[in-house]
Amino acid sequence: MVTKQFKDAPVDEADLRRADSLAREIFSDVANKWALLIIEMLGERTLRFSELRDAVEGISHKMLTQNLRMLERNGLVDRKVHPTVPPRVEYTLTEPGRALRATVDAMCEWTHRYLGHIETARQGSRAVGDP
């Protein structure tokens, strides 16, 4: 979906309401479960690909690769290749990535705080729909 632009009107790249804004594209990139889990696992540490794959239970090699590339493209993760045989690749959060991690941490805290409430609501909605 693309919104209409008025001629000569400035484009606000930070406006999440605009379908064509850079902010919405970035939000779409990082607001997925794998990206959030990768950011949380990296935290203040540097991890190798295999360590990340082991830390993020259920993620496939392909999804980890895609999400790491996206996070690197958006400047949230730094990728360092060590010239060894075989090559050793390490991933670290950049300063913007660490700032985003504070938001991810807040989301994790919110989840822990309201998990019981959400479970109760889900059970109630199942009971209403049951024959």
Side-chain angles (χ1 to χ4, degrees):
M1 178 172 126
V2 177
T3 58
K4 291 182 181 179
Q5 291 185 15
F6 295 103
K7 189 175 182 177
D8 301 325
V11 176
D12 183 0
E13 291 294 339
D15 188 350
L16 281 174
R17 296 171 299 171
R18 295 183 55 86
D20 61 344
S21 74
L22 179 59
R24 190 181 284 191
E25 182 182 334
I26 294 166
F27 189 79
S28 177
D29 280 351
V30 299
N32 77 70
K33 68 180 177 183
W34 298 125
L36 295 174
L37 290 169
I38 291 166
I39 290 167
E40 182 65 19
M41 291 302 119
L42 281 173
E44 300 296 324
R45 301 175 291 172
T46 297
L47 294 174
R48 295 176 69 178
F49 184 91
S50 60
E51 292 172 319
L52 267 170
R53 189 181 58 228
D54 293 344
V56 181
E57 187 175 323
I59 194 167
S60 68
H61 186 281
K62 178 181 176 181
M63 288 308 297
L64 181 55
T65 299
Q66 287 177 350
N67 277 274
L68 285 168
R69 286 179 182 162
M70 174 273 298
L71 291 168
E72 184 181 9
R73 182 181 71 246
N74 285 314
L76 303 173
V77 167
D78 182 45
R79 178 179 182 262
K80 184 175 183 181
V81 180
H82 297 274
T84 60
V85 178
R88 191 175 87 230
V89 182
E90 296 177 331
Y91 298 90
T92 307
L93 290 179
T94 61
E95 191 276 321
R98 289 190 301 275
L100 180 57
R101 182 171 178 254
T103 301
V104 173
D105 287 346
M107 290 175 66
C108 290
E109 290 172 25
W110 175 87
T111 303
H112 286 246
R113 181 174 181 181
Y114 292 105
L115 188 61
H117 174 84
I118 294 167
E119 286 179 326
T120 300
R122 285 182 173 192
Q123 290 170 356
S125 68
R126 280 191 210 118
V128 171
D130 289 343

